[in-house]
Amino acid sequence: MEKFKRLKNEGNDFVKTGEYEEAANKYSECMKLNTEECTVYTNRALCYLKLYKYEEAKRDCDHVLQIEDSNIKAFYRRALAYKGLQVRKKNRAGI
């Protein structure tokens, strides 16, 4: 549990400095220790959104909503992921 907290805090520090790839990696390490902790999934989803990895963000939010069906952050970030996917789809259609 101590290692989980340390990794999560390191991920949070990376988010604060805008280092989203590094933060996502820390949250991924957390998930290896505890797959039921929803905050690391919503945090990693935020990182994926910042990195324009919308499908990955959606997948993390879907996972959270299977565990906590009323998680507001997961709903909001999944909506942002869907929006990003739609924009990407429209851009491809215009190319």
Side-chain angles (χ1 to χ4, degrees), residues 18-71:
E19 298 174 79
Y20 300 110
E21 192 73 48
E22 292 83 353
N25 291 335
K26 292 295 180 183
Y27 297 136
S28 295
E29 288 182 51
C30 286
M31 291 167 194
K32 293 175 187 172
L33 301 172
N34 182 351
T35 60
E36 300 298 312
E37 177 62 45
C38 291
T39 57
V40 292
Y41 285 90
T42 55
N43 289 357
R44 189 172 74 170
L46 170 68
C47 296
Y48 285 151
L49 289 169
K50 297 289 188 180
L51 296 167
Y52 308 105
K53 295 181 177 182
Y54 302 117
E55 191 60 48
E56 293 88 339
K58 183 184 115 27
R59 198 169 25 249
D60 278 355
C61 293
D62 287 342
H63 177 80
V64 170
L65 292 169
Q66 287 177 352
I67 299 168
E68 292 180 10
D69 62 357
S70 61
N71 187 299

Side-chain angles (χ1 to χ4, degrees), residues 69-87:
D69 62 357
S70 61
N71 187 299
I72 300 298
K73 281 186 180 180
F75 273 119
Y76 178 69
R77 291 180 180 161
R78 185 171 70 173
L80 293 175
Y82 275 123
K83 183 178 178 183
L85 288 167
Q86 289 298 331
V87 168

